[in-house]
């Protein structure tokens, strides 16, 4: 009987650890995404400094979006992005406005953590691959509730 009680207590403790660990994984993933966006932003700025133009990628929908990161930004990045991971990172030019972005994010814990970090990190969220509208980047609602998995960081207006 005592052994059964001990097993129940251990089960309860293990269950509560799983719940708290899930939130920690979401926060850790969100922190990694923000760090990678900052690295990509710095690489894009260094590329501009050296070449006098912003880097531009291919069409993300056809899988060409990261070719330029592997080729032209390689020397500016502090680490290699594996092919399966790098397809989620983007640099997008909309006229004179340049964004770095990541998506699509499907984990709700990661989305919530990014939302909590948005004001401090300067993040904007969108529900599709489209970058934030010019009206969105002037508001204080960086990462709204309409976000469905894409997060953006402004490089230059």
């Amino acid at each position: 009987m005592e052994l059964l009680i001990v097993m129940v207590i251990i089960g309860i403790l293990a269950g509560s650890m799983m719940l708290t660990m899930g939130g920690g994984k979401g926060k850790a993933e969100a922190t990694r995404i923000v760090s990678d966006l900052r690295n990509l932003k710095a690489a894009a700025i260094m590329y501009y400094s050296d070449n006098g133009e912003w880097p531009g990628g291919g069409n993300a929908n056809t899988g060409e979006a990261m070719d330029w990161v592997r080729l032209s930004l390689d020397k500016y990045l502090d680490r290699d992005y594996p092919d399966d991971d790098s397809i989620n990172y983007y640099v997008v030019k909309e006229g004179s406005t340049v964004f770095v972005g990541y998506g699509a994010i499907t984990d709700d814990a990661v989305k919530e953590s990014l939302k909590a970090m948005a004001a401090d990190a300067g993040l904007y969220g969108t529900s599709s691959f489209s970058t934030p509208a010019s009206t969105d980047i002037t508001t204080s609602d960086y990462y709204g509730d309409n976000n469905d998995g894409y997060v953006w960081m402004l490089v230059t207006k």
Side-chain angles (χ1 to χ4, degrees):
M1 187 58 135
E2 292 174 3
L3 184 60
L4 184 61
I5 293 172
V6 168
M7 289 175 55
V8 168
I9 290 172
I10 290 174
I12 291 171
L13 291 174
S16 65
M17 284 290 290
M18 292 295 218
L19 290 174
T20 58
M21 195 166 155
K25 283 177 65 175
K27 175 99 168 128
E29 178 70 12
T31 302
R32 183 188 64 83
I33 290 169
V34 170
S35 174
D36 287 348
L37 287 175
R38 286 181 177 144
N39 287 340
L40 198 54
K41 178 179 177 177
I45 290 169
M46 287 185 281
Y47 180 95
Y48 180 81
S49 176
D50 285 352
N51 298 294
E53 65 181 4
W54 292 105
N59 184 346
N61 296 324
T62 63
E64 300 171 356
M66 284 308 292
D67 288 345
W68 64 268
V69 170
R70 287 189 293 274
L71 301 175
S72 61
L73 288 185
D74 227 14
K75 69 179 184 176
Y76 303 106
L77 294 170
D78 62 346
R79 70 178 177 98
D80 291 332
Y81 287 89
D83 288 347
D84 61 334
D85 191 32
S86 66
I87 59 171
N88 296 319
Y89 290 94
Y90 317 101
V91 172
V92 177
K93 296 184 286 190
E94 297 285 340
S96 63
T97 305
V98 180
F99 287 95
V100 293
Y102 179 87
I105 302 164
T106 56
D107 187 329
D108 289 335
V110 174
K111 289 181 189 179
E112 287 302 313
S113 294
L114 285 169
K115 188 174 182 178
M117 302 164 83
D120 292 334
L123 303 177
Y124 301 91
T126 60
S127 59
S128 68
F129 181 71
S130 301
T131 58
S134 58
T135 54
D136 292 339
I137 62 176
T138 60
T139 65
S140 59
D141 186 18
Y142 289 92
Y143 199 81
D145 292 327
N146 67 338
N147 179 32
D148 195 25
Y150 289 83
V151 62
W152 301 94
M153 185 179 283
L154 184 65
V155 177
T156 185
K157 287 186 187 182

